[in-house]
Amino acid sequence: MFNRAVALLELSPGLEEKIRVCNATYTVRFGVRLRGKIQTFTGYRSVHSEHMEPVKGGIRFSMGVSQDEVEALAALMTYKCALVEAPFGGSKGGLCIDPREYDAHELELITRRFAYELVKRDLIHPSQNVPAPDMGTGEREMAWIADQYSRMNTTDINARACVTGKPLNAGGIAGRIEATGRGVQYALQEFFRHKTDVAAARLSGKLDGKRIIVQGLGNVGYHAAKFLSEEDGAKIIGIVEHDGALLDEDGLDVEAVHHWIAGHGGVTGFPNAKYVKDGAKLLEHECDILIPAALEGVINLKNAARVKAPLIIEAANGPVTAGADQILREKGCVIIPDMYANAGGVTVSYFEWVKNLSHIRFGRMQRRQEEGRHQLVVDELERLSANKDLGWTLSPDFKEKYLKGADELELVRSGLDDTMRAAYQSMRAVWHTRDDVTDLRTAAYIVSIEKVAASYRAKGL
Ligand code: GLU
């Protein structure tokens, strides 16, 4: 995918190669005494590009973690950050572990030990390398990592900025948990603002009423499905999980399915929907929008030709393989690529990092001042509407809505929405103005690679 895009750019071969390769990957094997014996774990932290520092990217806990995987995901982080103008290079980490095999105490020991190994080498550091959650990790693990870093750097006033995705009470930011799903929603809203783009996907109208299939109801898939169905009027007709899939043409109750999975470990047995044992089959079911939100490579050479969705939005990292991408493009399917579609997570991570470095919550200084100024306007409007001759009245909820100054959550949403809109517009400008660019992914790569190249050039490379 990188090669397809870079072939359309006029970079010197040296710079092209410099951008393509992963700068460094650190492999660590460490032992932890658990259940009376020492268990050895293998972990990685890969740094793809340091054109900007710190470098940024999640840490995943999964049995699929390997050097190749973290390197590919680190590269994706470079392009993702460049596209949404988060001022970071790209990195990724992983620990080869099935987190379901361990209890919370054991996981804490393992996470802290892994963090210790990375902190020791500045591979976790507020100004050099800032991890975040990814598959198999969340707020809890980030809090352990932040605490581990602080213990090892007791005088670092910016210690909390060493990792993002922390709980609110440990230096996190409002809206980070749902940020990636929220970003998927904002991405689709922006896509549907552009009639020509919607037509390119052989669709019409608005998001309202669109039939959506979501693969994976984890943090990203759940929030995307929830917001799209509750706020945009879309219908979630299918949900694919590890133990099968659910189908309901009238639209599934996302909250109820999520609740069921939490209590039963899967979708099996969920009442009021058709259960399909071979869940992967649902990726080939007719729908308007397909949202792969779990693993990489789920749409591949084996099933791509049978995928019927005219629009795919990659909420996961790398869900469509390069071979499948070609088949889908030839079929006229529009793919909103991962580096854009799931960038909501790192965007809000950026806000969290800035919050940690500034040591103040967003909105703390302005909110009441803003409310005071709004009060002036409301008072004036009320004075005017008291004059019956003018025939003015204020709408019932205007006062309440207008008076309220923005809190941190609203500011985070506003910043994320703005970021998603601007990044989409930069991609579509390339998509629609260059004859040699026929898909959004290539457009996204072009925008990103040009930004990375400009940084390297500015450094004199
Ligand atoms: N793991 C997420 C991703 O793949 C978030 C990374 C971050 O916030 O640094 O984009």
Side-chain angles (χ1 to χ4, degrees):
M1 290 166 175
F2 174 89
N3 289 348
R4 276 190 59 222
V6 90
L8 306 176
L9 292 169
E10 275 161 23
L11 299 184
S12 68
L15 184 54
E16 188 183 310
E17 182 63 5
K18 173 72 206 76
I19 296 175
R20 178 187 289 110
V21 298
C22 219
N23 288 4
T25 303
Y26 172 68
T27 307
V28 59
R29 295 184 187 85
F30 60 88
V32 182
R33 181 174 287 280
L34 298 168
R35 302 171 200 174
K37 61 175 195 305
I38 291 179
Q39 286 192 38
T40 303
F41 297 90
T42 305
Y44 306 88
R45 186 79 182 159
S46 177
V47 175
H48 172 257
S49 176
E50 292 152 291
H51 66 288
M52 283 198 187
E53 283 179 310
V55 292
K56 189 97 190 69
I59 289 184
R60 64 171 54 178
F61 284 2
S62 143
M63 289 308 286
V65 164
S66 66
Q67 181 168 342
D68 270 354
E69 191 192 60
V70 288
E71 290 192 352
L73 292 168
L76 190 55
M77 284 311 302
T78 296
Y79 307 124
K80 199 185 292 190
C81 292
L83 185 65
V84 295
E85 299 191 333
F88 303 126
S91 183
K92 197 82 175 197
L95 189 64
C96 203
I97 184 178
D98 178 356
R100 286 166 305 190
E101 299 272 308
Y102 301 91
D103 65 28
H105 175 66
E106 292 169 329
L107 274 175
E108 179 172 352
L109 290 176
I110 300 164
T111 306
R112 282 186 182 274
R113 184 61 212 269
F114 184 32
Y116 168 81
E117 296 293 335
L118 298 181
V119 172
K120 215 165 63 169
R121 291 166 180 85
D122 290 341
L123 287 165
I124 295 178
H125 191 285
S127 62
Q128 296 199 28
N129 198 325
V130 182
D134 201 82
M135 254 164 62
T137 57
E139 281 192 337
R140 182 182 64 172
E141 288 72 16
M142 300 308 116
W144 290 332
I145 293 174
D147 186 63
Q148 187 63 34
Y149 178 88
S150 317
R151 288 186 188 187
M152 296 166 73
N153 296 274
T154 48
T155 55
D156 186 346
I157 194 170
N158 292 321
R160 282 183 155 180
C162 77
V163 67
T164 58
K166 301 176 292 292
L168 256 182
N169 60 14
I173 192 167
R176 174 62 184 86
I177 293 186
E178 67 267 32
T180 314
R182 194 52 92 183
V184 172
Q185 176 197 26
Y186 290 160
L188 277 175
Q189 286 176 351
E190 179 60 14
F191 180 85
F192 277 88
R193 279 188 198 107
H194 301 277
K195 282 201 174 66
T196 35
D197 303 6
V198 177
R202 289 166 285 134
L203 291 169
S204 60
K206 300 204 166 89
L207 252 176
D208 189 26
K210 291 287 175 293
R211 298 158 60 249
I212 300 182
I213 294 180
V214 182
Q215 189 239 356
L217 211 64
N219 181 38
V220 180
Y222 161 62
H223 284 108
K226 176 181 164 67
F227 300 144
L228 288 164
S229 58
E230 289 176 4
E231 297 171 17
D232 297 286
K235 260 199 268 181
I236 309 298
I237 63 160
I239 291 176
V240 187
E241 262 293 327
H242 63 96
D243 62 330
L246 299 174
L247 187 65
D248 183 350
E249 288 293 337
D250 294 330
L252 291 155
D253 178 344
V254 176
E255 229 20 91
V257 178
H258 188 246
H259 195 252
W260 184 269
I261 297 173
H264 300 81
V267 291
T268 313
F270 180 77
N272 314 327
K274 187 175 164 208
Y275 171 72
V276 183
K277 181 135 192 54
D278 184 4
K281 274 273 160 265
L282 224 66
L283 297 173
E284 301 163 20
H285 192 81
E286 220 188 291
C287 63
D288 297 318
I289 307 170
L290 179 61
I291 310 186
L295 299 168
E296 51 247 30
V298 290
I299 301 172
N300 46 50
L301 284 178
K302 290 195 196 113
N303 60 2
R306 292 191 302 274
V307 170
K308 293 182 197 66
L311 177 63
I312 297 177
I313 175 157
E314 297 180 331
N317 286 318
V320 176
T321 64
D325 189 63
Q326 184 176 351
I327 295 173
L328 291 166
R329 261 186 285 121
E330 284 164 5
K331 277 175 36 154
C333 170
V334 171
I335 302 179
I336 304 179
D338 46 6
M339 82 172 73
Y340 166 68
N342 69 38
V346 75
T347 300
V348 177
S349 275
Y350 168 40
F351 302 155
E352 180 176 333
W353 181 73
V354 171
K355 175 185 178 182
N356 294 152
L357 294 178
S358 58
H359 301 268
I360 188 164
R361 134 175 85 72
F362 288 107
R364 182 160 172 185
M365 302 297 278
Q366 315 88 314
R367 185 174 180 186
R368 303 302 168 193
Q369 191 265 355
E370 200 184 313
E371 287 182 1
R373 291 178 68 83
H374 287 181
Q375 186 70 55
L376 281 178
V377 177
V378 167
D379 290 348
E380 196 60 11
L381 285 172
E382 280 184 330
R383 192 180 63 79
L384 291 171
S385 55
N387 178 349
K388 297 284 173 263
D389 296 343
L390 290 172
W392 286 9
T393 48
L394 296 182
S395 332
D397 56 350
F398 165 78
K399 198 169 149 183
E400 194 191 324
K401 275 195 189 154
Y402 188 69
L403 273 182
K404 197 171 157 290
D407 61 10
E408 183 170 85
L409 183 61
E410 280 170 83
L411 291 169
V412 162
R413 285 189 188 157
S414 151
L416 177 59
D417 193 9
D418 185 60
T419 302
M420 296 310 289
R421 290 186 201 213
Y424 185 79
Q425 284 158 24
S426 67
M427 279 190 313
R428 86 180 287 272
V430 173
W431 185 26
H432 292 307
T433 52
R434 288 185 62 144
D435 294 338
D436 52 0
V437 176
T438 53
D439 63 298
L440 275 168
R441 191 189 311 277
T442 306
Y445 267 107
I446 286 179
V447 173
S448 300
I449 295 168
E450 273 179 341
K451 287 191 181 151
V452 177
S455 295
Y456 275 123
R457 280 196 208 100
K459 284 179 179 231
L461 252 183

